[in-house]
Amino acid sequence: MQQIIIQLCGGIGLFLLGMSLMTDSLKAMAGESLRAWLGRFTGSPTKAMLSGIGFTLVVQSSTATTLATIGFVSAGVLSFAQAIGVIIGANIGTTSTGWMVALLGLKFSVSMVALPMVGVGALMKLLGRNTMGLLGLALAGFGLLFIGIDFLQESMAGVANQVDLGRFSGDTLLTQLLLVLVGIIMTILLQSSSAAITATLAALAGGAIDMPQALILVIGQNIGTVATAILAAIGATVSAKRTAAVHVVFNLGTAVVAFFVLMPATLWLTQNSFLATWDDVLVIAFFHTAFSTMGALIFMPFTHQFQLLLEKLIPEKIDAGNTHYLDDSLFSVPAVAIGAAKHALCQTTAETFEQFIQACRGQILGTQISVGALDDSLARVDEYLQKMPVPQSQADQERLMALLQLVVYIRVIRDDLLNSAYIDLLRTDLEDHLVCAVDQFEELTAFLYNMPKHLPSQFVDSFVAFGDNMKAQKNDVRLSIIEQSAQTQHHASDALDMIVARRWLDRLVKHTAKMVILLGK
């Protein structure tokens, strides 16, 4: 029995390790394309659901899809109604693991193929870079996953020989509820419904449990994912809490219907329809997909009502510093976490530049420009970046480096704006210089609010040319100020103050131009 337990633990460990390697690598390769994918194909609830299915099939992780969705709702890229469709779709997409295990892992002996997969994948990781290295990790993870399934199948066959589970095969409601509880505990302990369902399929294939037991365990394992969602939402943003609520209501509601309707119907179909000719593990995979699909058919027509209910129960409380974009749960998808931090900084910088534009137009005094919101945003982003792990993908590493550069440039611009009292001085004698600056900063502010993936090259060139032109005029402007001061018999100190003010404006434009160049890459 000790050998069986060791083999069972090893099989589960290899499966989880393989799934983790495969999922993390696929997420890293997907990167920023996830934002474009979900943003483009979620125009309606049905499209949102199909997008959730599609991306979960690609990365083999409903958690990755869900966490990315949380970030997009926080940042305003997706509406909460669209997010509901994506989350429901992710629940359907994650059932693909059951089919993969049933059709490949348990139907064929893939050990002779899986071991070379691990070897080739490891070699690709050692010798390859960027996408090739990540693809190698995904391939190695895929191989480990099936090696783990082999160990699980062998250990479950041993369990069938040494442990009598017949006491749980009764038709009483109490026995069935106990099996549901076992399924919930399996998912909580393994922290993966895919691993729990794979263990159930292996137990069924090995004869350790029968069909009715397997069906009830799958229901419990789907409910078990609710615990993970609730834990992830504790202390998180409102978007994360609403997303967790979608998981809870969807999984619990669907589980009740599956327990009382779908499970008896499936057992009847295995005796009186085409399912009678199917292998038991394929029936479980079919039931798992039917489980989630049925839930989608029930909930999708009421997406709007569902949205209004959750928004009423969990109201939004957005802070003034735009830091609601930052959510620790996004670290599992680095490209999305980096994008959220960038979005927060750009929004707050745009708000600060709006004050600069108002001061240049005389709507407020230069001394009234406040950098407090920018300070708060920078502090929150600093704290966020300290917790962010270094991404695996080189593309994500480059995005992170660009974000760190952006933080540096914004800090320098923030320091420049501390001396914004010079604006009031410039408006007395050099107002035409401020007018030219306002045009450029106004266009930049509009871009920062909308935050395209890259600033348009035409605008970048225009802003840089404006900065170069100001630098070229520096000496002429200085002489002009001195001559005008001599003609009007102003004090030399007034001329000096005006020269310093103009140099301050040059410096602000120069530092902002560096930020513009970075955002244009």
Side-chain angles (χ1 to χ4, degrees):
M1 190 63 187
Q2 183 181 4
Q3 180 64 28
I4 293 172
I5 294 174
I6 292 173
Q7 196 171 26
L8 178 63
C9 292
I12 291 173
L14 285 170
F15 180 89
L16 289 173
L17 178 60
M19 181 65 75
S20 177
L21 282 175
M22 184 173 68
T23 299
D24 290 347
S25 303
L26 291 171
K27 284 188 297 184
M29 283 191 287
E32 188 69 20
S33 60
L34 170 58
R35 179 191 293 271
W37 185 344
L38 291 181
R40 183 181 303 174
F41 299 110
T42 54
S44 68
T46 302
K47 286 182 179 179
M49 184 184 71
L50 293 175
S51 294
I53 294 173
F55 189 76
T56 306
L57 287 173
V58 170
V59 301
Q60 282 296 299
S61 171
S62 59
T63 302
T65 306
T66 300
L67 293 179
T69 304
I70 290 171
F72 294 148
V73 174
S74 295
V77 177
L78 292 179
S79 68
F80 184 60
Q82 291 172 318
I84 292 172
V86 174
I87 293 161
I88 291 174
N91 276 276
I92 298 174
T94 196
T95 65
S96 63
T97 304
W99 286 103
M100 183 172 64
V101 172
L103 291 171
L104 297 176
L106 299 177
K107 299 293 288 182
F108 306 100
S109 179
V110 294
S111 297
M112 297 303 293
V113 179
L115 286 171
M117 277 185 186
V118 176
V120 172
L123 195 63
M124 289 171 64
K125 172 60 180 173
L126 288 173
L127 301 180
R129 297 182 62 186
N130 304 332
T131 303
M132 182 64 71
L134 291 171
L135 188 61
L137 275 180
L139 186 62
F142 194 68
L144 283 175
L145 185 148
F146 283 108
I147 294 172
I149 291 171
D150 266 0
F151 276 103
L152 276 174
Q153 194 171 8
E154 290 177 19
S155 61
M156 287 301 181
V159 170
N161 293 330
Q162 298 199 26
V163 181
D164 181 18
L165 297 175
R167 73 188 77 175
F168 294 108
S169 61
D171 294 330
T172 65
L173 180 61
L174 179 60
T175 304
Q176 292 175 341
L177 290 177
L178 282 174
L179 282 171
V180 170
L181 181 61
V182 170
I184 294 172
I185 293 172
M186 286 177 68
T187 300
I188 293 173
L189 291 178
L190 297 176
Q191 286 293 296
S192 168
S193 60
S194 295
I197 289 169
T198 299
T200 299
L201 292 174
L204 180 62
I209 59 175
D210 57 24
M211 172 74 73
Q213 289 174 314
L215 293 173
I216 298 172
L217 283 172
V218 168
I219 293 174
Q221 287 153 3
N222 272 270
I223 297 174
T225 60
V226 166
T228 306
I230 292 173
L231 289 174
I234 294 175
T237 63
V238 169
S239 298
K241 292 175 181 176
R242 288 177 179 172
T243 303
V246 172
H247 271 291
V248 172
V249 177
F250 178 81
N251 284 24
L252 289 179
T254 306
V256 170
V257 178
F259 187 85
F260 290 106
V261 178
L262 187 60
M263 183 182 67
T266 302
L267 290 172
W268 183 86
L269 289 172
T270 58
Q271 302 295 326
N272 302 282
S273 75
F274 65 96
L275 289 182
T277 61
W278 285 28
D279 189 86
D280 285 353
V281 292
L282 287 176
V283 173
I284 297 300
F286 169 80
F287 173 76
H288 190 203
T289 302
F291 185 122
S292 296
T293 304
M294 180 187 66
L297 293 174
I298 293 172
F299 281 94
M300 287 302 290
F302 305 102
T303 299
H304 182 63
Q305 291 82 351
F306 198 19
Q307 171 195 357
L308 294 178
L309 175 63
L310 291 177
E311 287 178 346
K312 184 176 181 180
L313 293 175
I314 311 174
E316 183 74 81
K317 294 179 181 179
I318 298 178
D319 61 22
N322 297 304
T323 54
H324 59 284
Y325 295 139
L326 308 180
D327 193 320
D328 293 357
S329 60
L330 297 181
F331 292 152
S332 67
V333 190
V336 180
I338 294 167
K342 179 181 176 182
H343 196 169
L345 284 173
C346 288
Q347 290 280 300
T348 314
T349 303
E351 292 170 0
T352 308
F353 279 156
E354 271 195 340
Q355 296 180 66
F356 170 77
I357 293 167
Q358 290 172 348
C360 290
R361 288 175 172 165
Q363 296 170 349
I364 62 173
L365 293 175
T367 53
Q368 291 179 296
I369 294 178
S370 171
V371 295
L374 201 54
D375 285 339
D376 291 341
S377 187
L378 284 166
R380 179 71 178 91
V381 169
D382 278 348
E383 179 187 344
Y384 191 65
L385 292 177
Q386 286 174 7
K387 294 183 287 184
M388 183 184 293
V390 177
Q392 296 182 48
S393 164
Q394 184 173 354
D396 286 340
Q397 291 173 8
E398 290 172 357
R399 291 189 186 99
L400 181 57
M401 288 302 298
L403 176 63
L404 295 174
Q405 284 182 282
L406 179 64
V407 170
V408 172
Y409 291 151
I410 291 177
R411 283 190 183 282
V412 173
I413 292 169
R414 175 259 180 206
D415 290 343
D416 288 339
L417 290 172
L418 289 177
N419 296 310
S420 54
Y422 285 126
I423 296 173
D424 301 327
L425 190 60
L426 288 168
R427 284 182 42 244
T428 60
D429 291 311
L430 297 176
E431 189 169 1
D432 56 326
H433 295 252
L434 287 177
V435 170
C436 294
V438 163
D439 293 339
Q440 294 292 331
F441 276 87
E442 200 164 38
E443 193 172 356
L444 173 59
T445 300
F447 282 126
L448 291 177
Y449 271 128
N450 295 319
M451 202 54 250
K453 187 175 181 181
H454 303 291
L455 291 182
S457 58
Q458 185 177 359
F459 172 74
V460 174
D461 294 341
S462 170
F463 199 100
V464 172
F466 167 68
D468 291 342
N469 187 47
M470 287 194 67
K471 182 178 179 180
Q473 294 176 352
K474 183 170 61 175
N475 291 331
D476 292 340
V477 171
R478 185 182 304 168
L479 290 174
S480 174
I481 292 172
I482 294 172
E483 290 174 1
Q484 186 177 359
S485 178
Q487 291 172 3
T488 56
Q489 296 183 345
H490 282 170
H491 292 294
S493 61
D494 294 336
L496 180 60
D497 288 342
M498 189 64 65
I499 291 171
V500 172
R502 169 54 200 248
R503 288 180 62 185
W504 170 82
L505 182 62
D506 289 342
R507 191 165 56 250
L508 175 65
V509 171
K510 172 186 173 183
H511 293 155
T512 305
K514 290 184 177 181
M515 183 186 75
V516 168
I517 293 170
L518 178 66
L519 293 176
K521 293 180 180 178

